[in-house]
Amino acid sequence: MRQEQTLKAIAKADRFNQWMFETISPHCQGKILEIGSGIGNISNFFLEKKKDIVLSDIRANYCDYLEHKFHLKNEQLLSIDLTDPDLSLKFGSHLNTFDTVFALNVVEHIKDDELAIANCKRFLKPGRYIDNSRSGI
C-alpha cells in the first residue's frame, strides 16, 4: 500500500515524469517493454506518442489499474516476475521479441537483481544489448 501511495504522489510530479521520459525516450526504439510500469507514470508519455510499447508489472492490482486506465489489450500488458524460474515457459513467445527493455526504479527492489537483468536481456531481440549507463537517472 505504501508503494502505491508513493506512485500516486509521483504521478502529480508532472515535470519530473516528463524529464524521466525525455531522458530515456531517445534510447527507446522499436518494440518496447517497460518492466515495472506501476500505475503508468512514465507509460503515459509513451502511449501518448503512440509508441509500440508493452507495459508490465509483477503486481496484479497494478496490472488491473493499467488495463483500465489505458484500455489495454492483452498483448499490451504482461504480469512479469523477472525472477520466476518458469520465465521461459510463461513468456517464451515474448522472449527475443523486443528492441528495447527498460525498468525505472525497479531493479533495486529485486533481491536477485543479477537474475532480473539477465532475464531482461532474454526479452531483447538477438543483437540488441543492455545499456548500463545511468543517463542521469
Side-chain angles (χ1 to χ4, degrees):
M1 186 59 134
R2 185 173 172 207
Q3 274 183 323
E4 189 171 345
Q5 291 171 333
T6 301
L7 289 174
K8 286 181 179 179
I10 293 171
K12 296 176 185 175
D14 296 332
R15 290 176 50 199
F16 174 72
N17 291 320
Q18 180 73 38
W19 173 79
M20 294 275 282
F21 169 74
E22 289 173 358
T23 300
I24 66 167
S25 64
H27 307 283
C28 297
Q29 305 298 320
K31 187 175 180 183
I32 303 165
L33 173 61
E34 180 183 16
I35 300 291
S37 301
I39 61 171
N41 292 341
I42 305 302
S43 318
N44 185 54
F45 294 100
F46 283 94
L47 292 167
E48 284 179 354
K49 298 280 186 189
K50 308 284 189 224
K51 295 290 186 175
D52 184 8
I53 188 167
V54 174
L55 310 185
S56 74
D57 208 281
I58 191 172
R59 292 173 184 81
N61 61 322
Y62 289 169
C63 288
D64 290 342
Y65 183 88
L66 292 166
E67 182 179 7
H68 291 95
K69 179 179 181 177
F70 298 121
H71 309 287
L72 300 175
K73 299 173 186 153
N74 285 343
E75 66 273 5
Q76 295 175 293
L77 180 63
L78 300 173
S79 177
I80 297 176
D81 175 353
L82 289 175
T83 60
D84 188 332
D86 293 327
L87 188 86
S88 293
L89 293 173
K90 292 178 182 174
F91 299 103
S93 65
H94 298 285
L95 300 180
N96 302 311
T97 62
F98 292 93
D99 297 293
T100 304
V101 176
F102 76 88
L104 297 176
N105 303 314
V106 173
V107 177
E108 64 270 24
H109 300 287
I110 300 173
K111 185 175 182 176
D112 193 347
D113 56 348
E114 290 182 16
L115 176 59
I117 295 294
N119 281 333
C120 282
K121 291 179 183 179
R122 296 178 68 200
F123 285 99
L124 289 169
K125 290 178 180 175
R128 303 307 268 174
Y129 68 95
I130 297 285
D131 181 357
N132 291 321
S133 68
R134 296 290 177 208
S135 300
I137 299 177

